Amino acid sequence: MLVIKDLVASIEGLKILKGVSLEVKAGEVHAIMGPNGSGKSTLASILAGRDLFSVDSGSIMYNGENLLDKSPEERAKEGLFLGFQYPIEIPGVSMVNFMKTAINEMRKHRGEKPLSASEFLKKMREKKELVEIDSSLTNRSVNEGFSGGEKKKNEIFQMAMLEPKLAILDETDSGLDIDALKVVARGVNNLKSPDSATIVITHYQRLLDYIVPDFVHILYRGRIVRSGGKELAVLLEEKGYELIRQGEVNL
Amino acid sequence: MQKEQDQILGDLTSGEYKYGFYTDIEQDSIARGLSEDVIRMISAKKNEPEFMMEFRLKAYRHWLTMKMPLWAHLNIPEIDYQDKIYYSAPKQKAKLTSLDEVDPDLLETFNKLGIPLEEQKHLSGVAVDAVMDSVSVKTTFKETLAERGIIFCSFSEAVREYPDLIKKYMGSVVPYTDNYFAALNSAVFSDGSFCYIPKGVRCPMELSTYFRINAANTGQFERTLIVAEDNSYVSYMEGCTAPMRDENQLHAAIVEIVAMESAEVKYATVQNWYPGNKEGKGGVYNFVTKRGICKGDNSKISWTQVETGSAITWKYPSCILRGKNTTGEFYSVAVTNNHQQADTGTKMIHIGENSKSIIVSKGISAGVSNNSYRGLVKVLPGAQNARNFSQCDSLLLGDKCGAHTFPYIESGNQSAIIEHEATTSKIGEDQIFYCNQRGIATEDAIGLIINGYAKEVLNKLPMEFAVEAQKLLQISLEGSVG
Ligand SMILES: Nc1ncnc2c1ncn2[C@@H]1O[C@H](COP(=O)(O)OP(=O)(O)O)[C@@H](O)[C@H]1O
Ligand SMILES: [Mg+2]
């Protein structure tokens, strides 16, 4: 589904990613871990098409096509979803209107008719229950005045509404209590299917108790320095990032 | 990064103007220039009674003593008033079977503008007076309205048919001495609409006037007069467009509203005159005086405007709150893009006790445009317990445009409560990207954000026009990436 090869990327001449390779197949859950400033969000942003970063070399293929040729909205319409580490507030635009526009854009792309008002509201209701998001939130403007936790839940809510093929969740667990964490996990697990995949970017192994990854990668200073199964996350939690520094790294 | 953004902005700030076509129809025009003879000729062409010609001449003589106002935050090139044509009417093909019939070319023009003049085809519940250049082409649903005693007709017809009402009210809210453009309009005004709602009548449909400039080098000077008697109600809507031309077109209009006891008048405008091209060539100079008086107690006048067109807009729809417990409202969205300039706002003059006013102004600037809000809230000594709330927001797209607010407050009564809030914001690149990531293209994202921002004002528009206005906002800003 996603094949990243030797990705080198920079911002304002500063190299952030220094040769990242990663393959994600349909049905898989990958976790990317690593200390702050490693380039995790940079990788996620590049996948989503943020033009702040420049790709210097390497390639990204998505479903057999060059992802880098596509605009951010095309990528979204082809099923790529990014749960933002810092979700953006859009004053004046109601969540309802925002989601309706987004869903119908995606349906249009697939050659489907727009959802009727009642179909849409039904879907809203279902997904709201799933992620236990308060109605008062979806009646407000996008993320406006939401608490940190509410914003994160709202990302999961949007993911549930849009039903992506490849979801990339950038530290959606940060700052959440255990109940909220379970909600995030439920959202991800609910989406799981043989033809979709998830990349969870996280700092902590605790999320991985609820979302069991097939693969764990450690991104450090712009490189994936180690990959393994879920036991790598446990090891990392025990030994901390010392593990990397001590050179017990299989490069 | 910044450079790239500038590039995108520069390249794309180019909304297409959909209404720029020109109808090739024979015109009955007079020669360029302005003089007493020209005014007499206009009056004669319109078969006006003596009093009307006298009014025009007085206004003209007064205008000659005045100077163009320069206080607005506008850069207005010199206007050669002798180079304009002051009367031009589309010649209707002869041999129309009934008086009410309209030349097919004109019908087609208005059809293209989305304003069908055949009653059966029209939006249900909207009566239209269609004005092209200097004359009214057709007024729909006149008979239906007449059954309730409502008069809705062209201004010229009103001058002939209802001279007493015209004599009584014309110039009673905006005297010809009011300002330079009001004097000019009073001297040469061509046509417009007249609307009279008798006591106790709720007008059963939206009334609307659609103004179209067609002929070249022709100034459009229309005037509208609305009189709402005790306990009556009317909702009125005005729209306008013009062909794309390289030379600037002049438009100077007057709207007067009189609301008697417990009457309510809602006046909505969607102003979409040709704004000029990307380089700032051409476009309409729009100098408009709109004012209403809440004469009777408990009366209410509400102005709603969506201003997207014109190269220059100079316009301050105002309310004189003379009666007790009267209410004046002003809801405005003004968009400027490319080289457009707008200086617009309102005046709320509190004279009566317990008079209230609300001002909600939403400016949106893009390109290298300039957008100013100018508002006056004046409370006279007798206006015990007057209240005003003003909200003036500015939204910027890109960093080459300007937004300014000039709020003036003059309070002559200690008990008055006047509140003013103002904000300035920008559409962020991160907001656009967030929308993109949800599958919403940049243009649509801007539309979504703009419409959200302007929601409070758009909600005040009659339903039929709200959707149109939303689309218009988006088109006006096409390409203005934040
Ligand atoms: N917009 C930006 N401008 C300049 N530097 C940036 C920007 N975004 C990220 N960086 C730098 O890139 C590096 C990686 O950041 P990021 O991808 O956010 O790391 P992580 O998500 O792993 O914490 C950091 O050194 C950070 O300072
Ligand atoms: Mg990060």
Side-chain angles (χ1 to χ4, degrees):
Chain A
M1 172 174 269
L2 181 74
V3 184
I4 305 173
K5 273 202 184 120
D6 294 321
L7 184 68
V8 176
S10 57
I11 182 161
E12 285 158 5
L14 184 73
K15 268 205 168 52
I16 312 283
L17 300 181
K18 300 166 185 163
V20 171
S21 296
L22 179 69
E23 180 168 1
V24 178
K25 295 203 177 78
E28 295 177 347
V29 175
H30 289 243
I32 297 179
M33 304 180 76
N36 268 334
S38 303
K40 303 184 296 294
S41 293
T42 302
L43 178 62
S45 295
I46 289 172
L47 289 172
R50 185 86 210 238
D51 65 0
L52 222 58
F53 303 93
S54 67
V55 174
D56 303 326
S57 61
S59 67
I60 307 176
M61 300 298 283
Y62 177 63
N63 294 329
E65 291 177 343
N66 185 356
L67 187 71
L68 297 171
D69 280 349
K70 294 175 195 281
S71 68
E73 61 271 23
E74 278 177 294
R75 301 177 195 200
K77 287 189 253 193
E78 287 171 16
L80 189 147
F81 177 91
L82 172 62
F84 286 68
Q85 182 174 3
Y86 304 108
I88 308 297
E89 300 191 7
I90 311 180
V93 178
S94 71
M95 269 309 293
V96 173
N97 202 6
F98 184 64
M99 274 293 99
K100 203 157 131 196
T101 310
I103 284 193
N104 286 335
E105 281 300 317
M106 296 190 183
R107 292 179 66 90
K108 192 159 84 190
H109 183 77
R110 295 194 294 262
E112 296 164 9
K113 278 201 309 236
L115 285 184
S116 72
S118 67
E119 287 167 323
F120 175 76
L121 290 174
K122 184 165 167 275
K123 193 175 181 114
M124 278 281 278
R125 215 165 28 238
E126 262 171 44
K127 302 301 181 185
K128 266 193 316 214
E129 269 166 36
L130 178 75
V131 302
E132 296 173 9
I133 193 168
D134 205 67
S135 274
S136 68
L137 290 185
T138 50
N139 289 334
R140 298 204 333 231
S141 292
V142 179
N143 292 322
E144 195 185 26
F146 286 28
S147 73
E150 286 167 344
K151 284 182 181 167
K152 297 297 177 83
K153 265 194 178 179
N154 193 22
E155 294 294 289
I156 297 300
F157 168 68
Q158 293 176 50
M159 180 185 79
M161 288 293 286
L162 298 173
E163 297 166 334
K165 292 278 166 250
L166 175 63
I168 304 155
L169 302 178
D170 191 358
E171 299 208 27
T172 305
D173 55 330
S174 294
L176 294 187
D177 60 28
I178 201 76
D179 288 332
L181 206 66
K182 283 182 187 166
V183 167
V184 171
R186 190 169 341 124
V188 173
N189 293 331
N190 202 274
L191 194 70
K192 220 172 155 176
S193 80
D195 61 351
S196 68
T198 308
I199 299 175
V200 280
I201 294 172
T202 178
H203 235 60
Y204 309 102
Q205 109 86 21
R206 59 172 195 163
L207 177 66
L208 305 180
D209 290 342
Y210 303 98
I211 304 173
V212 182
D214 302 296
F215 299 93
V216 174
H217 312 276
I218 297 167
L219 188 67
Y220 182 66
R221 291 191 177 162
R223 286 194 178 87
I224 291 182
V225 293
R226 194 158 175 178
S227 295
K230 65 171 189 291
E231 66 289 346
L232 182 58
V234 181
L235 192 67
L236 197 66
E237 184 89 346
E238 277 169 17
K239 304 212 170 168
Y241 290 103
E242 278 304 295
L243 188 72
I244 308 160
R245 281 179 216 131
Q246 281 163 9
E248 300 177 29
V249 186
N250 306 325
L251 281 174
Chain B
M1 198 45 234
Q2 189 55 48
K3 223 172 141 199
E4 190 185 329
Q5 201 181 320
D6 287 351
Q7 172 98 43
I8 295 172
L9 259 167
D11 286 355
L12 294 176
T13 322
S14 61
E16 275 294 319
Y17 187 72
K18 276 199 303 182
Y19 309 97
F21 66 89
Y22 164 70
T23 309
D24 190 8
I25 192 164
E26 212 184 320
Q27 298 273 353
D28 170 20
S29 304
I30 61 174
R32 290 175 198 227
L34 185 53
S35 64
E36 293 205 0
D37 284 346
V38 166
I39 288 163
R40 287 200 177 88
M41 190 153 41
I42 294 172
S43 197
K45 278 197 179 288
K46 302 178 84 69
N47 284 323
E48 286 177 351
E50 188 65 23
F51 82 90
M52 202 60 246
M53 186 159 76
E54 287 307 316
F55 177 85
R56 289 176 181 278
L57 288 171
K58 268 194 282 183
Y60 175 66
R61 288 169 196 146
H62 188 76
W63 179 72
L64 289 175
T65 68
M66 301 175 95
K67 284 206 163 60
M68 197 111 143
L70 296 171
W71 42 260
H73 190 80
L74 296 170
N75 177 13
I76 308 172
E78 182 131 16
I79 298 168
D80 181 356
Y81 291 93
Q82 293 304 335
D83 192 40
K84 305 279 173 203
I85 295 169
Y86 289 87
Y87 183 86
S88 180
K91 253 190 204 154
Q92 303 237 14
K93 288 198 187 94
K95 288 197 262 343
L96 298 174
T97 48
S98 88
L99 263 180
D100 237 14
E101 210 169 306
V102 180
D103 190 309
D105 282 351
L106 291 180
L107 278 186
E108 182 50 31
T109 300
F110 282 94
N111 268 331
K112 258 165 107 173
L113 296 169
I115 315 287
L117 297 179
E118 296 101 320
E119 290 185 5
Q120 67 277 14
K121 278 199 201 158
H122 205 273
L123 286 166
S124 59
V126 183
V128 182
D129 183 21
V131 177
M132 181 138 121
D133 296 328
S134 305
V135 292
S136 168
V137 171
K138 159 131 189 152
T139 310
T140 61
F141 293 107
K142 245 156 98 174
E143 290 75 23
T144 319
L145 293 167
E147 283 164 19
R148 302 186 192 226
I150 297 168
I151 304 170
F152 180 46
C153 64
S154 74
F155 204 91
S156 312
E157 188 180 335
V159 168
R160 291 190 302 268
E161 305 290 322
Y162 313 100
D164 293 342
L165 285 172
I166 296 294
K167 270 189 219 163
K168 184 168 176 192
Y169 293 110
M170 180 182 64
S172 71
V173 193
V174 181
Y176 65 80
T177 50
D178 192 79
N179 68 72
Y180 188 79
F181 299 111
L184 179 63
N185 174 289
S186 301
V188 302
F189 76 90
S190 37
D191 214 332
S193 307
F194 173 66
C195 161
Y196 178 84
I197 317 289
K199 268 188 191 165
V201 173
R202 271 189 81 84
C203 185
M205 51 176 79
E206 299 282 340
L207 299 188
S208 102
T209 304
Y210 194 89
F211 296 105
R212 172 77 178 167
I213 297 180
N214 190 55
N217 294 311
T218 303
Q220 171 124 345
F221 306 94
E222 80 276 355
R223 82 186 280 153
T224 297
L225 173 60
I226 300 172
V227 178
E229 293 283 11
D230 296 354
N231 293 301
S232 67
Y233 167 87
V234 64
S235 168
Y236 196 92
M237 168 83 201
E238 166 205 296
C240 42
T241 55
M244 294 198 239
R245 292 185 189 285
D246 283 350
E247 63 286 356
N248 295 100
Q249 292 150 287
L250 178 62
H251 172 250
I254 290 180
V255 176
E256 296 179 279
I257 299 175
V258 180
M260 307 305 277
E261 199 177 320
S262 300
E264 181 177 355
V265 179
K266 288 186 184 166
Y267 193 105
T269 307
V270 173
Q271 188 264 108
N272 187 23
W273 295 116
Y274 177 52
N277 73 4
K278 264 190 289 184
E279 284 77 42
K281 200 169 165 74
V284 172
Y285 293 167
N286 189 33
F287 302 109
V288 175
T289 308
K290 291 183 167 174
R291 194 176 302 150
I293 181 164
C294 288
K295 217 169 180 170
D297 295 348
N298 308 309
S299 57
K300 179 175 175 181
I301 293 177
S302 175
W303 298 101
T304 303
Q305 61 173 21
V306 176
E307 301 281 316
T308 62
S310 298
I312 295 176
T313 296
W314 180 99
K315 179 178 176 188
Y316 316 90
S318 303
C319 298
I320 301 170
L321 303 169
R322 184 141 103 208
K324 289 180 192 159
N325 311 314
T326 48
T327 306
E329 294 178 342
F330 175 74
Y331 294 95
S332 169
V333 181
V335 181
T336 52
N337 196 357
N338 300 319
H339 291 261
Q340 281 177 280
Q341 307 177 64
D343 192 294
T344 183
T346 183
K347 285 192 268 186
M348 293 291 175
I349 313 295
H350 292 256
I351 302 172
E353 286 172 27
N354 297 314
S355 50
K356 292 193 293 289
S357 62
I358 294 173
I359 298 172
V360 177
S361 161
K362 304 267 180 179
I364 303 168
S365 350
V368 290
S369 68
N370 257 304
N371 200 329
S372 304
Y373 166 81
R374 185 181 304 277
L376 169 67
V377 177
K378 184 169 182 164
V379 178
L380 277 84
Q384 197 67 14
N385 299 318
R387 288 217 56 164
N388 162 267
F389 175 75
S390 303
Q391 171 83 49
C392 300
D393 297 329
S394 309
L395 184 67
L396 300 166
L397 284 82
D399 51 15
K400 292 182 180 166
C401 49
H404 319 272
T405 41
F406 304 100
Y408 305 95
I409 295 169
E410 294 172 21
S411 180
N413 188 308
Q414 292 283 334
S415 65
I417 301 174
I418 299 169
E419 292 170 86
H420 181 91
E421 285 177 14
T423 67
T424 301
S425 51
K426 266 188 122 159
I427 295 188
E429 225 184 328
D430 50 355
Q431 290 175 321
I432 302 279
F433 181 70
Y434 193 73
C435 294
N436 291 160
Q437 213 303 304
R438 302 307 187 236
I440 304 167
T442 301
E443 305 290 286
D444 298 329
I446 290 176
L448 207 59
I449 295 171
I450 295 290
N451 283 311
Y453 167 79
K455 198 158 50 187
E456 238 179 303
V457 175
L458 296 176
N459 285 346
K460 295 284 166 186
L461 288 175
M463 260 274 275
E464 291 87 344
F465 301 100
V467 180
E468 210 41 49
Q470 277 192 20
K471 277 191 236 148
L472 193 56
L473 282 184
Q474 191 164 344
I475 293 166
S476 311
L477 288 166
E478 219 144 72
S480 332
V481 185

